[in-house]
Amino acid sequence: MQKGILITLPKFDLATEYLTYYSKSLIEKAKSENLKLKEIHERELDMNTFSKIISNLDYKFIIFNGHGSQDSFFGYKNEILVKVGKNENLLKERIIYARSCDSGAVLGIKCTENSKQGCFIGYNRPFVFYMDENWTSNPNNDKVANLFLYPSNLIPLSIIKGNSTGQANENSKKQILKNIKRIWRDKSRQETFHIIEGLWNNYIGQVLHGNEKVCL
Amino acid sequence: MNQKSPPQEEINEEMKKLVIARIDANLPSNLRLSIGAKETLSKGEMINHVRVGDEQGRQIIEMHLNFMRALTSGDFVKQLNSV
């Protein structure tokens, strides 16, 4: 496996626009570390095209942004990219971070079964985030979304910096708790409990399957 | 590190009323929620999904209930104190 990153960037609704926006800093970091990088955009994100790309590029680390289900990752306009029983073997022996709902429940387990160097980090329940409608055209200024998406970014950022998958998972989960603490202190804000509930949801849903000692 | 997928629980009318009341009272109308593999939801749409009890409504209810359970069991405070 080559020390490289493959990242999916679907962008067809508000949620995927935010995930794609938040992936910019990951791409910049990967470039600054001189890592090989393949961005997969919109119309390349269907099962056939994606399978061909991944078969031809043995990059170690794959970052999935987008919607998902227990047994699948989705691409552009929710085309199925990876599905258990069809092409999950393409993910074997790689490091996977899936910023998508539910895929830690089944797909994450299946793609790391009998694997020595493979690791999956994702969510076994819906990955949620709130966004501020006033900033949807400029997510950089959306402080509400940042509370959710910065801790999720810490998983790939930590891995790119050379941390093990287990450390990356821990760094992210600690950051979620730190964000909860910060918000908790300001109970005067109307939305405090809703934001904490969402962060807690991601905290308890974030799972690691496979080898937690593996590095990029 | 491995965890089992959370079991789905039965949602009753009392749970729906509780969650709707909390959203209605405290969620600012400028916030939208991304949850599940569908479009993001406004405050009004969240309430509608909870009322109907469809997939997104169930996900919202479970998010609220999981937090309240963690609060009452002490797990929430325990985890917060770990950082």
Side-chain angles (χ1 to χ4, degrees):
Chain A
M1 284 277 169
Q2 294 186 66
K3 194 171 174 177
I5 301 173
L6 202 148
I7 182 167
T8 73
L9 300 162
K11 196 175 167 188
F12 62 93
D13 60 12
L14 267 179
T16 51
E17 278 181 23
Y18 266 69
L19 299 186
T20 296
Y21 181 86
Y22 266 81
S23 295
K24 281 183 185 176
S25 60
L26 308 178
I27 291 166
E28 284 165 12
K29 184 65 184 169
K31 285 178 178 170
S32 76
E33 298 282 335
N34 292 320
L35 292 172
K36 290 177 182 171
L37 177 74
K38 170 68 179 170
E39 299 174 29
I40 309 180
H41 293 273
E42 299 167 11
R43 295 189 190 280
E44 290 178 303
L45 289 167
D46 63 76
M47 189 184 282
N48 279 343
T49 313
F50 179 77
S51 295
K52 277 180 197 164
I53 292 171
I54 196 173
S55 299
N56 292 324
L57 277 180
D58 61 345
Y59 288 177
K60 178 77 179 172
F61 187 19
I62 305 178
I63 302 167
F64 286 96
N65 287 298
H67 297 298
S69 67
Q70 292 199 350
D71 69 353
S72 303
F73 297 134
F74 303 148
Y76 186 61
K77 294 196 171 173
N78 287 343
E79 285 261 347
I80 293 175
L81 281 188
V82 180
K83 187 174 175 65
V84 171
K86 292 211 166 180
N87 61 347
E88 88 277 8
N89 283 341
L90 293 170
L91 308 182
K92 292 268 182 193
E93 304 298 342
R94 304 192 199 231
I95 298 171
I96 310 293
Y97 171 52
R99 185 152 52 185
S100 68
C101 294
D102 297 314
S103 54
V106 178
L107 176 51
I109 296 169
K110 287 288 179 189
C111 73
T112 52
E113 257 177 12
N114 305 317
S115 163
K116 287 182 181 168
Q117 293 299 313
C119 181
F120 172 98
I121 304 175
Y123 306 87
N124 67 8
R125 61 183 71 227
F127 173 78
V128 308
F129 64 98
Y130 282 97
M131 59 182 73
D132 185 336
E133 274 187 351
N134 298 320
W135 294 112
T136 51
S137 59
N138 188 2
N140 192 45
N141 289 341
D142 191 336
K143 291 179 180 171
V144 175
N146 189 61
L147 289 166
F148 294 84
L149 296 176
Y150 176 65
S152 71
N153 261 6
L154 274 186
I155 297 167
L157 280 175
S158 299
I159 290 170
I160 290 167
K161 285 177 184 172
N163 287 191
S164 69
T165 48
Q167 287 167 329
N169 186 43
E170 285 304 306
N171 290 346
S172 169
K173 293 190 93 163
K174 276 184 185 168
Q175 187 62 50
I176 296 175
L177 293 176
K178 285 177 184 172
N179 285 0
I180 290 176
K181 267 188 163 174
R182 188 151 62 86
I183 293 293
W184 182 261
R185 289 190 199 107
D186 189 6
K187 294 194 192 72
S188 63
R189 285 171 63 173
Q190 194 186 353
E191 67 271 27
T192 294
F193 277 97
H194 291 281
I195 290 172
I196 290 174
E197 281 169 359
L199 288 168
W200 181 253
N201 173 82
N202 292 348
Y203 178 77
I204 60 175
Q206 188 172 311
V207 291
L208 181 153
H209 301 299
N211 189 338
E212 63 182 343
K213 293 190 167 60
V214 70
C215 298
L216 181 59
Chain B
M1 285 284 181
N2 289 359
Q3 292 176 20
K4 287 180 182 174
S5 127
Q8 283 208 331
E9 63 182 298
E10 205 171 305
I11 302 295
N12 61 42
E13 289 304 312
E14 287 306 308
M15 291 174 181
K16 288 183 183 177
K17 281 182 191 170
L18 173 68
V19 173
I20 288 171
R22 298 185 85 220
I23 296 170
D24 195 31
N26 295 321
L27 190 69
S29 54
N30 60 310
L31 294 191
R32 297 186 72 85
L33 176 67
S34 173
I35 186 168
K38 292 183 179 156
E39 291 288 325
T40 58
L41 304 175
S42 68
K43 177 178 180 174
E45 288 164 342
M46 285 173 69
I47 290 172
N48 282 340
H49 281 286
V50 171
R51 188 173 286 131
V52 171
D54 59 12
E55 187 188 354
Q56 277 181 302
R58 166 182 284 277
Q59 289 169 337
I60 293 166
I61 292 166
E62 286 180 354
M63 179 171 69
H64 282 250
L65 294 180
N66 284 332
F67 175 66
M68 286 189 274
R69 280 196 201 103
L71 259 186
T72 53
S73 70
D75 190 36
F76 177 72
V77 173
K78 185 180 163 192
Q79 294 296 323
L80 277 196
N81 287 338
S82 71
V83 291

